[in-house]
mmCIF file of all heavy atoms in Angstrom:
data_model
loop_
_atom_site.group_PDB
_atom_site.id
_atom_site.type_symbol
_atom_site.label_atom_id
_atom_site.label_comp_id
_atom_site.label_asym_id
_atom_site.label_seq_id
_atom_site.Cartn_x
_atom_site.Cartn_y
_atom_site.Cartn_z
ATOM 1 N N ASN B 305 -0.023 -21.702 5.109
ATOM 2 C CA ASN B 305 0.707 -20.958 6.115
ATOM 3 C C ASN B 305 1.320 -19.752 5.433
ATOM 4 O O ASN B 305 2.044 -19.900 4.439
ATOM 5 C CB ASN B 305 1.787 -21.840 6.739
ATOM 6 C CG ASN B 305 2.424 -21.156 7.911
ATOM 7 O OD1 ASN B 305 1.769 -20.423 8.642
ATOM 8 N ND2 ASN B 305 3.716 -21.367 8.080
ATOM 9 N N ASP B 307 3.439 -16.087 6.038
ATOM 10 C CA ASP B 307 4.260 -15.319 6.970
ATOM 11 C C ASP B 307 4.597 -13.954 6.408
ATOM 12 O O ASP B 307 5.002 -13.836 5.241
ATOM 13 C CB ASP B 307 5.564 -16.063 7.287
ATOM 14 C CG ASP B 307 5.304 -17.281 8.150
ATOM 15 O OD1 ASP B 307 4.582 -17.144 9.151
ATOM 16 O OD2 ASP B 307 5.810 -18.360 7.811
ATOM 17 N N GLU B 311 5.914 -5.683 11.806
ATOM 18 C CA GLU B 311 5.985 -4.221 11.710
ATOM 19 C C GLU B 311 7.193 -3.803 10.900
ATOM 20 O O GLU B 311 8.221 -4.483 10.907
ATOM 21 C CB GLU B 311 6.083 -3.594 13.110
ATOM 22 C CG GLU B 311 4.838 -3.719 13.941
ATOM 23 C CD GLU B 311 4.915 -2.911 15.227
ATOM 24 O OE1 GLU B 311 5.880 -2.144 15.394
ATOM 25 O OE2 GLU B 311 4.021 -3.053 16.061
ATOM 26 N N ILE B 319 11.856 4.018 -0.353
ATOM 27 C CA ILE B 319 11.265 2.802 -0.910
ATOM 28 C C ILE B 319 11.237 1.743 0.188
ATOM 29 O O ILE B 319 12.202 1.615 0.956
ATOM 30 C CB ILE B 319 12.104 2.280 -2.094
ATOM 31 C CG1 ILE B 319 12.149 3.308 -3.216
ATOM 32 C CG2 ILE B 319 11.543 0.955 -2.617
ATOM 33 C CD1 ILE B 319 13.110 2.947 -4.346
ATOM 34 N N ASN B 323 7.768 -8.279 2.552
ATOM 35 C CA ASN B 323 7.856 -9.655 2.077
ATOM 36 C C ASN B 323 6.717 -10.529 2.591
ATOM 37 O O ASN B 323 6.161 -10.286 3.670
ATOM 38 C CB ASN B 323 9.183 -10.280 2.506
ATOM 39 C CG ASN B 323 10.371 -9.591 1.885
ATOM 40 O OD1 ASN B 323 10.303 -9.139 0.738
ATOM 41 N ND2 ASN B 323 11.456 -9.476 2.637
ATOM 42 N N GLN B 327 3.212 -21.238 2.282
ATOM 43 C CA GLN B 327 3.300 -22.688 2.050
ATOM 44 C C GLN B 327 1.876 -23.162 1.863
ATOM 45 O O GLN B 327 1.044 -23.008 2.757
ATOM 46 C CB GLN B 327 3.952 -23.389 3.248
ATOM 47 C CG GLN B 327 5.378 -22.962 3.489
ATOM 48 C CD GLN B 327 5.879 -23.402 4.871
ATOM 49 O OE1 GLN B 327 5.099 -23.530 5.805
ATOM 50 N NE2 GLN B 327 7.160 -23.633 4.984
ATOM 51 N N ASN B 332 -3.312 -20.649 -6.465
ATOM 52 C CA ASN B 332 -4.099 -20.124 -7.570
ATOM 53 C C ASN B 332 -4.205 -18.615 -7.490
ATOM 54 O O ASN B 332 -5.245 -18.048 -7.798
ATOM 55 C CB ASN B 332 -5.487 -20.764 -7.567
ATOM 56 C CG ASN B 332 -6.171 -20.650 -8.919
ATOM 57 O OD1 ASN B 332 -5.521 -20.414 -9.928
ATOM 58 N ND2 ASN B 332 -7.468 -20.803 -8.936
ATOM 59 N N GLN B 338 -4.403 -3.317 1.315
ATOM 60 C CA GLN B 338 -4.009 -2.254 2.237
ATOM 61 C C GLN B 338 -5.154 -2.029 3.221
ATOM 62 O O GLN B 338 -6.322 -2.010 2.814
ATOM 63 C CB GLN B 338 -3.735 -0.958 1.465
ATOM 64 C CG GLN B 338 -3.308 0.218 2.332
ATOM 65 C CD GLN B 338 -3.302 1.513 1.541
ATOM 66 O OE1 GLN B 338 -4.328 1.932 1.000
ATOM 67 N NE2 GLN B 338 -2.147 2.153 1.465
ATOM 68 N N SER B 349 -3.260 -5.428 -5.356
ATOM 69 C CA SER B 349 -2.650 -6.096 -6.503
ATOM 70 C C SER B 349 -2.920 -7.582 -6.483
ATOM 71 O O SER B 349 -3.279 -8.152 -5.445
ATOM 72 C CB SER B 349 -1.139 -5.867 -6.531
ATOM 73 O OG SER B 349 -0.531 -6.544 -5.455
ATOM 74 N N ASP B 354 4.753 -15.789 -12.300
ATOM 75 C CA ASP B 354 6.004 -15.248 -11.777
ATOM 76 C C ASP B 354 6.324 -13.912 -12.416
ATOM 77 O O ASP B 354 6.076 -13.697 -13.606
ATOM 78 C CB ASP B 354 7.160 -16.221 -12.062
ATOM 79 C CG ASP B 354 7.058 -17.492 -11.262
ATOM 80 O OD1 ASP B 354 6.204 -17.570 -10.362
ATOM 81 O OD2 ASP B 354 7.838 -18.430 -11.532
ATOM 82 N N GLY B 355 6.888 -13.023 -11.604
ATOM 83 C CA GLY B 355 7.336 -11.751 -12.147
ATOM 84 C C GLY B 355 6.753 -10.577 -11.395
ATOM 85 O O GLY B 355 6.148 -10.715 -10.334
ATOM 86 N N SER B 364 4.159 -5.438 -7.231
ATOM 87 C CA SER B 364 4.142 -6.701 -6.498
ATOM 88 C C SER B 364 4.841 -7.756 -7.329
ATOM 89 O O SER B 364 4.684 -7.822 -8.547
ATOM 90 C CB SER B 364 2.713 -7.122 -6.160
ATOM 91 O OG SER B 364 1.928 -7.206 -7.318
ATOM 92 N N ARG B 368 6.657 -18.353 -7.661
ATOM 93 C CA ARG B 368 5.880 -19.523 -7.218
ATOM 94 C C ARG B 368 6.788 -20.653 -6.740
ATOM 95 O O ARG B 368 6.461 -21.345 -5.774
ATOM 96 C CB ARG B 368 4.992 -20.016 -8.362
ATOM 97 C CG ARG B 368 3.823 -19.087 -8.672
ATOM 98 C CD ARG B 368 3.083 -19.514 -9.912
ATOM 99 N NE ARG B 368 3.949 -19.418 -11.088
ATOM 100 C CZ ARG B 368 3.626 -19.896 -12.284
ATOM 101 N NH1 ARG B 368 2.476 -20.521 -12.468
ATOM 102 N NH2 ARG B 368 4.459 -19.754 -13.306
ATOM 103 N N LEU B 375 5.727 -6.815 -1.821
ATOM 104 C CA LEU B 375 5.063 -5.581 -2.235
ATOM 105 C C LEU B 375 6.084 -4.462 -2.100
ATOM 106 O O LEU B 375 6.695 -4.303 -1.041
ATOM 107 C CB LEU B 375 3.849 -5.301 -1.345
ATOM 108 C CG LEU B 375 3.027 -4.062 -1.671
ATOM 109 C CD1 LEU B 375 2.289 -4.254 -3.000
ATOM 110 C CD2 LEU B 375 2.020 -3.786 -0.552
ATOM 111 N N LYS B 378 7.078 2.714 -3.554
ATOM 112 C CA LYS B 378 8.067 3.742 -3.879
ATOM 113 C C LYS B 378 7.547 5.120 -3.481
ATOM 114 O O LYS B 378 6.340 5.320 -3.325
ATOM 115 C CB LYS B 378 8.344 3.740 -5.383
ATOM 116 C CG LYS B 378 8.827 2.413 -5.937
ATOM 117 C CD LYS B 378 8.956 2.490 -7.452
ATOM 118 C CE LYS B 378 9.270 1.136 -8.039
ATOM 119 N NZ LYS B 378 9.270 1.148 -9.517
ATOM 120 N N ALA B 391 -2.512 -12.352 0.839
ATOM 121 C CA ALA B 391 -3.547 -13.393 0.868
ATOM 122 C C ALA B 391 -3.361 -14.328 -0.313
ATOM 123 O O ALA B 391 -3.025 -13.889 -1.413
ATOM 124 C CB ALA B 391 -4.936 -12.762 0.835
ATOM 125 N N GLY B 398 -13.193 -25.949 -4.539
ATOM 126 C CA GLY B 398 -14.307 -25.968 -3.598
ATOM 127 C C GLY B 398 -14.171 -24.901 -2.530
ATOM 128 O O GLY B 398 -15.138 -24.571 -1.855
ATOM 129 N N ALA B 401 -12.426 -19.144 -0.913
ATOM 130 C CA ALA B 401 -11.970 -18.090 -0.005
ATOM 131 C C ALA B 401 -10.473 -17.858 -0.166
ATOM 132 O O ALA B 401 -9.762 -18.648 -0.773
ATOM 133 C CB ALA B 401 -12.290 -18.478 1.431
ATOM 134 N N THR B 408 1.342 -6.752 7.810
ATOM 135 C CA THR B 408 2.533 -5.989 8.185
ATOM 136 C C THR B 408 2.124 -4.550 8.418
ATOM 137 O O THR B 408 1.608 -3.902 7.508
ATOM 138 C CB THR B 408 3.596 -6.048 7.078
ATOM 139 O OG1 THR B 408 4.000 -7.392 6.869
ATOM 140 C CG2 THR B 408 4.806 -5.187 7.453
#
Side-chain angles (χ1 to χ4, degrees):
Chain B
N305 188 34
D307 289 312
E311 291 188 8
I319 299 172
N323 296 325
Q327 297 166 331
N332 200 18
Q338 180 190 59
S349 68
D354 291 351
S364 56
R368 289 173 296 171
L375 181 69
K378 303 175 187 174
T408 299

